[in-house]
Amino acid sequence: MTTSLKKSHIHRTVLDNGIVLLLTENPTADIIAARIFIRAGSCYENREQAGLAYLLSAVLTKGCEGLSSLQIAEQVESIGANLSADTAADYFQLSLKTVTADFVDILTLAAKILRSPTFPEAEVELERRIALQDIRSQKEHPFTVAFDQLRQVMYQDHPYAMSALGNESTMSRITRADLVQFHQTYFRPDNLVISIAGRLTLDDAVAVVEKVFGDWQPPAKPLPTLNLPNLTVQPECVIIPQQTQQSIVMLGYMATAVNSPDYAALKLLSTYLGNGLSSRLFVELREKRGLAYEVSAFYPTRLFPATFVVYMGTAPENTQIALSGLQAEVDLLYTSPLTEVALQAAKNKILGQYALGKQTNGQLAQIYGWYEILGLGIEFDQKFQELITNVNAEDAMTVASRYLQKPYVSLVGQEAAVKDAVI
């Protein structure tokens, strides 16, 4: 066992079997939260198996060696604990929360589920049917339709092109054997980060994790290499006529990954443009011009190049003017520098929200484990705040010019309105 880093109340320890253990000591509440991260999100699926990681997350807690779905639920609920699995593009996670006295028991149960799931055929079929219903339901939501087609045209053969659910075709093809194979490939101790926050000392945390996971040895076979296609930026416009009461107008720009020097400036620009009622898009396009039912921007944190998206829901007759209005607001980012007042307000907003996102043990376990699984390290917590603080108006303008000049466009709405908007 080697301990490689201690950052104030946060400890990072690597166990002999390769598990990275993070502990955030927080003695103020008698609650312990943990997040177990695995490098096995939807990016690690084959294109033909899109939705595999999602389906695995839905059935992982529905049976393990010696325990049925009902018995697992009873064990968790009998002590008032929480235990759930989820997947994202870049990782898979198992989340748990309990009072300190029951932590060993719930972590032991989580280990059984993680190491020896049974994937009962009946549960697989049930969760597949639910996923297929969700996929069909999403086709009725114009925003989801617009975002799905935007992703597909931007990412092409890259896994980011697909929803975590996959589509009806891929979800229907996934078998129990596929789940077993994916689990055997990626669920291994040297591909695991366990992040714990709560009333626990480092010695106690190491002792518990070694007791529960210490006999789990990594297989001799190395982890598969993730070979992703190169992305080429060729902006285009895609439309889907749909009989809706509003048009969804969406612009997407191929931006960059979290480890890029430009990440902080893009995050700040996204906050300035579309985060909250005081954001530029909300004030200019909704409050002043009355164009938008909803308007916002987002730029997710990703291990690989992420999309910078601005979008608006508007009346069909305003589709064309909404499109030009969104484009004009983004163009201003690289043609006119932000004022010091606007820049500082965006910094205050993003840093304030960041601080508020680290209040509970669950949030603390999440953020440090997330940084670790993305390869950023727990020191990124402080680094991120420094990066945001150091962005100046010239930096923001340069980065906007680099990434935000030529958008992909996705339109969903009444046929005449969306077609006329791009003529």
Side-chain angles (χ1 to χ4, degrees):
M1 179 189 71
T2 58
T3 302
S4 58
L5 185 65
K6 176 182 176 182
K7 179 179 176 290
S8 61
H9 59 293
I10 307 162
H11 308 270
R12 181 185 186 275
T13 302
V14 182
L15 305 186
D16 290 340
N17 60 1
I19 289 176
V20 176
L21 170 62
L22 306 178
L23 174 68
T24 306
E25 294 185 58
N26 185 16
T28 56
D30 189 30
I31 296 290
I32 294 182
R35 300 288 186 270
I36 302 174
F37 289 86
I38 303 102
R39 292 179 187 87
S42 56
C43 253
Y44 297 78
E45 305 164 339
N46 295 325
R47 176 83 173 194
E48 303 74 31
Q49 295 179 323
L52 176 59
Y54 175 88
L55 187 59
L56 193 149
S57 74
V59 297
L60 187 72
T61 59
K62 300 302 173 62
C64 65
E65 191 174 303
L67 294 173
S68 67
S69 176
L70 180 59
Q71 288 171 321
I72 291 171
E74 286 175 342
Q75 280 199 27
V76 174
E77 292 170 9
S78 67
I79 57 175
N82 291 335
L83 178 65
S84 62
D86 196 13
T87 191
D90 297 325
Y91 58 87
F92 186 102
Q93 73 177 41
L94 194 65
S95 304
L96 59 97
K97 182 173 71 172
T98 186
V99 295
T100 305
D102 295 322
F103 179 63
V104 175
D105 290 340
I106 202 71
L107 186 67
T108 301
L109 176 60
K112 287 181 183 177
I113 291 169
L114 202 64
R115 296 174 62 175
S116 58
T118 51
F119 303 125
E121 196 73 62
E123 298 286 355
V124 173
E125 289 308 313
L126 173 61
E127 294 300 334
R128 185 207 315 281
R129 287 200 301 272
I130 294 171
L132 286 169
Q133 289 171 3
D134 288 344
I135 292 168
R136 293 173 189 130
S137 173
Q138 287 184 357
K139 293 179 181 178
E140 299 173 7
H141 299 284
F143 173 87
T144 305
V145 173
F147 188 49
D148 279 351
Q149 73 168 352
L150 182 70
R151 277 191 309 212
Q152 287 169 28
V153 74
M154 291 181 74
Y155 283 106
Q156 302 290 323
D157 295 329
H158 192 284
Y160 283 178
M162 299 293 283
S163 159
L165 287 164
N167 57 39
E168 287 185 74
S169 175
T170 60
M171 180 58 71
S172 297
R173 284 198 299 264
I174 298 168
T175 66
R176 179 184 178 278
D178 294 329
L179 298 175
V180 171
Q181 178 64 41
F182 191 82
H183 178 268
Q184 289 178 346
T185 301
Y186 293 106
F187 284 57
R188 44 191 281 174
D190 55 344
N191 200 34
L192 216 67
V193 173
I194 301 178
S195 179
I196 303 171
R199 188 180 290 176
L200 204 63
T201 67
L202 177 61
D203 288 345
D204 287 344
V206 171
V208 169
V209 173
E210 286 194 324
K211 176 184 176 182
V212 174
F213 291 98
D215 65 332
W216 192 13
Q217 295 303 309
K221 188 176 181 180
L223 278 160
T225 302
L226 194 58
N227 294 315
L228 299 179
N230 292 324
L231 293 168
T232 56
V233 180
Q234 297 176 313
E236 59 182 285
C237 180
V238 285
I239 63 173
I240 291 185
Q242 196 174 72
Q243 199 56 36
T244 60
Q245 294 183 331
Q246 64 173 310
S247 293
I248 298 295
V249 180
M250 190 173 288
L251 309 182
Y253 303 81
M254 187 60 74
T256 190
V258 64
N259 55 8
S260 165
D262 297 331
Y263 168 78
L266 286 166
K267 206 70 176 173
L268 195 62
L269 289 171
S270 172
T271 297
Y272 164 75
L273 265 188
N275 185 334
L277 305 184
S278 63
S279 66
R280 172 80 186 187
L281 294 180
F282 191 93
V283 171
E284 294 297 323
L285 300 181
R286 179 184 165 100
E287 294 297 288
K288 291 184 178 179
R289 299 178 64 183
L291 288 174
Y293 298 137
E294 57 176 332
V295 63
S296 192
F298 58 92
Y299 168 55
T301 299
R302 291 284 183 267
L303 191 56
F304 304 104
T307 49
F308 186 106
V309 176
V310 295
Y311 71 92
M312 184 194 300
T314 191
E317 63 270 20
N318 289 332
T319 306
Q320 188 172 40
I321 194 169
L323 176 59
S324 61
L326 276 177
Q327 179 81 67
E329 291 299 334
V330 178
D331 289 350
L332 281 173
L333 297 179
Y334 61 84
T335 56
S336 302
L338 298 186
T339 66
E340 283 303 317
V341 171
L343 186 67
Q344 191 58 50
K347 290 180 180 182
N348 293 343
K349 185 186 295 184
I350 197 170
L351 293 174
Q353 291 173 344
Y354 186 75
L356 289 173
K358 298 191 297 177
Q359 297 300 298
T360 68
N361 285 337
Q363 290 171 327
L364 291 169
Q366 178 72 31
I367 198 162
Y368 293 122
W370 181 45
Y371 287 157
E372 182 69 31
I373 206 72
L374 292 180
L376 300 168
I378 58 177
E379 60 271 21
F380 191 73
D381 172 47
Q382 186 62 39
K383 183 180 178 182
F384 172 73
Q385 298 173 73
E386 293 169 357
L387 289 171
I388 291 295
T389 301
N390 291 335
V391 174
N392 60 40
E394 185 180 351
D395 295 333
M397 197 171 174
T398 300
V399 168
S401 178
R402 186 172 296 146
Y403 297 99
L404 306 181
Q405 292 205 37
K406 295 180 180 178
Y408 290 82
V409 179
S410 177
L411 302 175
V412 173
Q414 295 176 16
E415 185 168 6
V418 294
K419 287 187 174 179
D420 288 348
V422 296
I423 291 176

